[in-house]
Every structure is written in structure tokens, then in C-alpha cells.
Amino acid sequence: MLEVRSLSIHFHRYTRGLRRTVLTPVVDLYLKVSAGEVVAVVGSSGSGKSLLAHTVLGLLPSNAKVEGEIWFKGELLTPERQALARGRQIALIPQSVSFLDPLMRVGAQVRRAAQLSGKNRHSAAAQRAIFQRYQLPLEVERWYPFQLSGGMARRTLVSMAVVGEAELILADEPTPGLHPEVVRETLNHLRQLADEGRGVVLITHDIQAALQVADQIAVFYAGTTVEIAPVTAFSGKGEGLLHPYTQALWRSLPQNEFIPLPGMQPPPQDLPQGCLFAPRCPLATAECTAERPTMRAIAQNQVRCIHAQG
Amino acid sequence: MKVLRYLIRKLLRLVLLLFTISVLSFTLVSLSPIDPVQAYVGAEMMRIGPEQRQRIAERWGLNDPPVVRYMRWLSSLMRGDLGTSAIYNQPVSQVIRQRFLTSLGLMGTAWVLSGVLGFLLGVLSGARAGSWIDQVIRFYAYLLASTPAFWLALLLLIVFAVFLKWAPVCCATPPGLLPEQVTFAQRLHHLALPALTLSIIGIANITLHTRQKLITILNSDYILFARAQGENLFGLIWHHGLRNIALPAITLQFASISELFGGSVLAEQVFAYPGLGQATVQAGLRGDVPLLLGIVLFSTLFVFTGNTIADILYHLIDPRIRLGVES
């Protein structure tokens, strides 16, 4: 359904007078999502996760330069096609209640989302139906966003994405700072949407949350995809994981060995020449620092490491 | 109950404010070189001997200590007596009422015009931030923000009244006519230039403020989400922008009443428009102390009312305040 091929994003910024700096927060990124599938995109902050969602929707600021290709349902996603697909075929589930207009009643916002998705005449009925589906009491439609509880806000945001017929759902960090019960509920909603035949991208830094619902997990590091692996590979001592960063990430989890990885992710204005992970990699050789490795398919995984073996 | 407490608190604050202002202005006037006797007698001063002068001062209690004089003034103020204006030879309250009604048309027109135009320009400018139209509007706004009201008034007077002869040179009505003979069209004709001056000056503030607010809103999370839903620029402004900038704009417009009052003093002086502003200048120049103090108190009341309305509107309109207090 969605395929992102060698996507790079550059930001041009003028600092101190006319000195121009180029930031490259996303480098040669790869991602593939099929219908009926939840793909979790995990990575630490600054790994380019949220930018991915904005790029797919065509919502980057004007000083961003995009390279690479995004394919949606077999067609190249051009800016014109993005404008048509926004809200109709591709929907966003944002992070928090701050993404709702603070001065507009909740029901009106859901109805507006329904109208924009193409349900012009039936927006009121669509809103009632979606409220019922997500167990939002009817009186909530007259409320303002600040009156919503955390769980209700979450369900409202999901309703707005799903009130139309969008086939691809991009959930951008939908679970931070939430009550565990609300997190579970939100993740279940995403799973249901995939089971209905939609493609779901779950962008998160919470690998635990990702493991609960995802089919595939794409691991981001410094703006690129280092590995895409089926969720089953994340088990045991991580034998099924092929990239040294993914393995290190798995080992660093509290319920595993809890060993942190020393060093820092390179900043987007100062990326290394070769493999982006090489400066922190225990396996790094001279070859690694010479050239950036490409994505290779090994067994069920896709991995960006020249040392990886099946 | 809450409303009642709010009103009582506001009222107490107003009383305190009026008291402070009255003490301050009374002190200033007492310290000023204005001689009330001379101001009252005017040109006839030469014909009055020092003895007679002393008798007037005695009778008015001018030789009493300032505190005694202030208390005397305050107690007649309590009875609603603001004294008599020497230059208009009428009770001060009557002068203020007549003058204020004349000014009200002028200030009201300017207030509405500058509010509506300023808001529209601000929205246009903010929506197309960085474009040529934004540049033009901003240039215009900065230019006007730094233009003194009296200078603009003189410029408009020279262009439209002297050269083009489209507008009258002075006054609120044609000279030589009784008030009941003046038509509505004639009044409008005389109102046009002063109102235009005040509007043009008032626009800059609201335009720049609205522009800035709209730009902030267009960069907010909820606008990003609205765009993700497929909303275009017009939809963003229509459904989310206006709703969110209207409130600060309305508040600003009510709070700007003090500036409007200050501007009208200058504009009325240039156009010889017989409103409250012009009376203020006259009272100051010719030492009409009762009138000056009366106007000071009245304008305090006027500005306070404007700010209070802004405050109350905020509570009535913003659901976060209106409903947040209840729950």
C-alpha cells in the first residue's frame, strides 16, 4: 500500500548572517506497509520518525527539500496527489489533545473531518456513528477539547482519522504519557483498523507498545531505516535481529539485559560519511566508514549492514 | 453569586482608581501656575484691583490649605456638582455631556472602521505572510504606527479640504446654522475627515497584532492536524483562524479606547471639531480648572469601562474561561 524508497530530507537554514547550514534529518529511508498490517516505526527522538509522517502527507515546511520516492497504492505520490489523498485516503492520528482546535466543539471538529474526507452530506450521521464505535458519550460532541479526559481525547483523535474511509493510518506517537489502560486501548484500536484491511503506521519510541500490536517493526537510526524485521524476531536474546543497532536496542531493554549502548546518535548537520551507525558499532571496519550500506533482504528481515548474515 | 462578587470587586477598584486620579490631578493643578481668579476674570483683569482680587480669593476659599480645598471639591463632587466651567459659562457636567455626544459619533465611527479594516488587513497579511501583499500591508502599518495623529490630520486637511475642497475645513456643522437646521448629510460631511484620521491611525495596531496572532496560530499543532485532514488555506482560516484570533482582537479593540481618546484630542484640535478632546485642550490652555478635572475623571471612567467590557467579553466568549470556572 505504501512504499517509501530512499527518502532523504534536507533543511536549509540560515544561521548567523548568511551562513547556510544544511540539516539532513532523514537519509535514504526505506519503509513498506501493506494493507491489513501494522508497521511500527521505532527509534529514539531525532531519528526522523515524525518527519516521515509529515512527508507522506506533504506537510513539510517550505524550506525542506525532499529526495526519493513515495508510492501509494501503486502510484507515485506527487504533491498534487498528496493534496487529494490527505484526509480522504491517508489520515493522521496526532500525538495529543493540543492538535484539536481549543475553541471548537469536539463534535464540530469530528464533523469537519468527516466533511473533508468526502462525507459532505452525512457528516452528522458519520460523527454519531463513530462516537458510538469508540464509546464516546453523545454529550461529548458539545464539549470543548479542554474538557476531555486523556482517554476520551485519544478516542476523539482516533475517531477523526477513521470517520472517513482512509486506507492508510499514520499514528504519530499516540501513546506517550498515557495511563497504561488507555495505551492498551489505543493500541487495540490500531490493531482493529489493520484487521479491517487498512494499513497502519505506528510511529513510536516505545518499543514495548510496538511489540504488542505490530506485524513488522522498522528501526530508525539517525534518519534512516537500519532494519525491518517481523515482530517475532524480537524475542529471546535477539537472535533473529540482524543489525548491531537493533540488537543493542533489544539488549538495552529493562526486561532483557538492560545494557545501554554507549555514545550518541550523530546530529543531522554532521552525519558520518559511511554507515551512520559505524561510530558506535562494535563490528565497524574500514569498509563501513567508506560507503553507506544499502538495504539487503536476509531471511525475513531487511537490513542495512554489510556484516549481517542470515 | 460569582458574577455579583466580580462586579463588586470591579466597582471597588473603580472607586479607588477615581479617588487616586482625583487626588493626583488636584495636586498637579494646585502646583501649576494657573491663577483661578485670573482664569475666571480673563481680560477684565486689568480693571480689578488687588483688594477686590483678594476678596474673590477669600470668598472662593483659595487661601485655605490644599486638603481643605480638596475636601470641599470632593464633597460637592459627591453631590454630583462638578462646578461651573468658566470658559463655557455652563455647569461642567453639562459641557461634558454635550461635548461627549459630539465626540462619540467621531470616536465610534473611527473605532468601528479601524477595527474592521485593521482586522481584515491583519488576516490578509498573516495568511499570506512573506508575500508582496504582506510586505505592502506591513510597510503601511509600520508607517502609520510611527505617524503622529496631528500630523496626519494636517496632511489630510491640506489635501482634502484645502486643495481638493472635498471636505470642510473645520467644525462639526456648517458655520452660521442653528443645530436644528443641520442635515444628517452635512454632519457626515464634517465628520468624514476627523473620523478618517482617527481610523487610519487606529488600523496599524490591530493589523500588526492580528497578523502576528494569525501567524502563530497557523504554525500551531491544531492547524497541522487540520491540514492533515485536507483543509486548504481558506478553510484553515475560516474554520480555525478567525475563531482563534477574534477574541484577542476584540479585547485589543476595547483596550485601545484610551488611545482613541488621546487621538481624538489631537484630531479634534486640528479640525476644530467641538468635541470633548477640543474642550480638554481649551480647559488646559485657558486654566479652566473645574472643567479640566471633570474631564480627567470622565475620561478615566470611559477608559475603565472600555477595559471592563473587554474583560467581561473574554469571560463570556472564551469557553475555556466560561466553562472552566464552573467545572
Side-chain angles (χ1 to χ4, degrees):
Chain A
M1 178 173 285
L2 179 78
E3 195 173 343
V4 179
R5 290 184 202 151
S6 57
L7 178 78
S8 295
I9 303 172
H10 309 281
F11 281 102
H12 292 278
R13 233 180 23 190
Y14 290 91
T15 50
R16 220 181 298 168
L18 290 173
R19 275 256 308 269
R20 205 170 77 157
T21 51
V22 180
L23 300 179
T24 309
V26 171
V27 193
D28 198 18
L29 185 137
Y30 181 84
L31 188 75
K32 191 174 171 189
V33 184
S34 308
E37 192 179 55
V38 176
V39 176
V41 170
V42 299
S44 57
S45 54
S47 61
K49 300 179 311 253
S50 287
L51 276 178
L52 172 70
H54 297 174
T55 313
V56 171
L57 288 162
L59 297 180
L60 289 177
S62 55
N63 64 335
K65 198 165 153 281
V66 180
E67 286 165 8
E69 293 174 351
I70 302 173
W71 291 77
F72 178 63
K73 291 174 71 185
E75 287 181 352
L76 193 64
L77 204 54
T78 57
E80 296 75 40
R81 209 162 272 152
Q82 276 172 330
L84 288 175
R86 272 200 291 269
R88 291 167 180 265
Q89 292 169 299
I90 307 177
L92 177 73
I93 301 180
Q95 240 178 62
S96 69
V97 72
S98 78
F99 285 79
L100 293 176
D101 186 333
L103 297 184
M104 195 169 173
R105 292 184 195 277
V106 171
Q109 301 199 47
V110 178
R111 287 195 291 277
R112 184 68 196 150
Q115 280 170 15
L116 289 166
S117 76
K119 296 187 173 174
N120 222 337
R121 255 175 277 158
H122 312 292
S123 65
Q127 177 242 314
R128 298 264 155 94
I130 206 80
F131 266 42
Q132 199 159 29
R133 169 168 181 185
Y134 288 108
Q135 284 151 30
L136 285 161
L138 207 57
E139 71 255 28
V140 171
E141 64 180 36
R142 312 234 346 120
W143 290 11
Y144 288 93
F146 77 95
Q147 295 170 296
L148 297 172
S149 69
M152 280 182 180
R154 207 58 351 254
R155 280 180 265 157
T156 304
L157 294 171
V158 175
S159 321
M160 288 175 77
V162 185
V163 72
E165 309 284 313
E167 294 148 89
L168 178 67
I169 308 286
L170 307 171
D172 187 3
E173 298 273 11
T175 55
L178 287 179
H179 195 268
E181 215 164 289
V182 182
V183 172
R184 199 159 41 239
E185 184 189 274
T186 307
L187 295 174
N188 286 339
H189 289 155
L190 294 179
R191 187 67 252 172
Q192 279 169 19
L193 294 175
D195 293 344
E196 287 164 15
R198 307 185 208 229
V200 177
V201 179
L202 166 61
I203 296 170
T204 180
H205 61 258
D206 182 358
I207 195 165
Q208 314 279 14
L211 291 173
Q212 288 178 44
V213 287
D215 299 298
Q216 303 268 336
I217 294 188
V219 180
F220 278 24
Y221 180 79
T224 197
T225 328
V226 291
E227 182 167 6
I228 301 177
V231 72
T232 47
F234 289 80
S235 58
K237 286 189 180 293
E239 296 87 351
L241 302 171
L242 302 181
H243 196 280
Y245 177 67
T246 320
Q247 288 164 357
L249 191 66
W250 180 244
R251 277 201 300 274
S252 71
L253 292 181
Q255 72 273 34
N256 298 333
E257 295 164 53
F258 208 15
I259 310 164
L261 177 68
M264 297 259 278
Q265 186 171 264
Q269 69 272 24
D270 196 16
L271 295 176
Q273 271 271 299
C275 173
L276 298 177
F277 187 59
R280 295 168 79 184
C281 184
L283 307 175
T285 56
E287 274 176 289
C288 295
T289 50
E291 205 183 337
R292 289 207 180 130
T294 53
M295 214 63 179
R296 292 189 297 147
I298 298 174
Q300 285 179 294
N301 301 22
Q302 307 228 39
V303 61
R304 195 188 290 279
C305 175
I306 54 170
H307 301 295
Q309 288 162 8
Chain B
M1 202 53 225
K2 212 147 212 159
V3 178
L4 199 67
R5 261 222 309 274
Y6 172 83
L7 285 179
I8 289 173
R9 224 182 26 238
K10 271 277 174 197
L11 211 63
L12 278 178
R13 205 171 292 174
L14 175 63
V15 170
L16 199 68
L17 179 72
L18 283 175
F19 176 72
T20 316
I21 293 281
S22 70
V23 171
L24 266 176
S25 31
F26 192 89
T27 313
L28 283 174
V29 168
S30 315
L31 294 175
S32 80
I34 291 175
D35 177 358
V37 181
Q38 186 172 0
Y40 178 67
V41 181
E44 313 280 292
M45 203 61 195
M46 301 300 286
R47 301 221 297 240
I48 291 175
E51 253 168 61
Q52 219 170 348
R53 197 179 157 146
Q54 191 57 38
R55 276 224 299 281
I56 297 176
E58 197 84 28
R59 193 156 156 218
W60 285 359
L62 292 177
N63 299 327
D64 296 340
V67 180
V68 176
R69 280 184 287 147
Y70 174 75
M71 291 316 287
R72 203 154 46 216
W73 178 68
L74 194 65
S75 69
S76 32
L77 184 68
M78 290 300 179
R79 279 179 269 117
D81 178 14
L82 282 164
T84 306
S85 160
I87 49 178
Y88 297 105
N89 216 358
Q90 275 177 322
V92 166
S93 50
Q94 209 174 321
V95 176
I96 291 180
R97 193 168 62 232
Q98 282 169 1
R99 293 276 166 159
F100 178 65
L101 285 177
T102 314
S103 281
L104 199 62
L106 173 63
M107 288 198 281
T109 313
W111 190 73
V112 171
L113 264 181
S114 66
V116 172
L117 279 178
F119 187 74
L120 289 178
L121 285 179
V123 170
L124 194 62
S125 183
R128 313 281 306 136
S131 70
W132 66 267
I133 188 142
D134 175 40
Q135 309 263 359
V136 170
I137 292 174
R138 252 164 67 206
F139 178 76
Y140 170 81
Y142 283 126
L143 192 71
L144 286 176
S146 46
T147 305
F150 70 89
W151 184 81
L152 183 73
L154 281 174
L155 198 70
L156 290 178
L157 196 66
I158 291 169
V159 173
F160 291 103
V162 180
F163 286 148
L164 296 172
K165 299 202 191 317
W166 289 355
V169 183
C170 95
C171 318
T173 51
L177 287 182
L178 290 171
E180 52 271 23
Q181 292 174 301
V182 183
T183 64
F184 184 67
Q186 279 172 325
R187 283 188 198 279
L188 270 188
H189 191 213
H190 283 78
L191 179 71
L193 269 195
L196 189 66
T197 310
L198 276 184
S199 314
I200 292 178
I201 291 290
I203 281 176
N205 203 2
I206 187 105
T207 298
L208 291 174
H209 190 273
T210 304
R211 172 185 183 274
Q212 199 49 47
K213 189 76 195 165
L214 186 61
I215 290 176
T216 312
I217 285 169
L218 287 179
N219 284 316
S220 68
D221 285 347
Y222 58 88
I223 289 295
L224 181 81
F225 187 36
R227 285 170 66 204
Q229 290 163 32
E231 199 84 79
N232 60 22
L233 182 63
F234 178 79
L236 290 176
I237 291 171
W238 186 252
H239 289 281
H240 304 288
L242 294 183
R243 187 187 300 271
N244 281 279
I245 46 176
L247 205 52
I250 290 171
T251 316
L252 184 74
Q253 192 59 5
F254 274 98
S256 76
I257 282 179
S258 62
E259 283 162 51
L260 190 71
F261 197 86
S264 81
V265 172
L266 298 168
E268 285 179 11
Q269 188 60 20
V270 174
F271 292 105
Y273 199 84
L276 200 56
Q278 202 208 19
T280 315
V281 176
Q282 290 302 317
L285 288 177
R286 291 167 60 182
D288 191 342
V289 177
L291 182 59
L292 195 59
L293 287 178
I295 291 175
V296 166
L297 289 183
F298 179 78
S299 57
T300 307
L301 194 67
F302 185 61
V303 172
F304 183 87
T305 310
N307 289 339
T308 305
I309 291 175
D311 202 24
I312 291 174
L313 275 182
Y314 228 112
H315 282 81
L316 286 181
I317 300 177
D318 193 332
R320 285 165 297 188
I321 300 180
R322 174 162 46 97
L323 302 171
V325 169
E326 287 167 19
S327 55

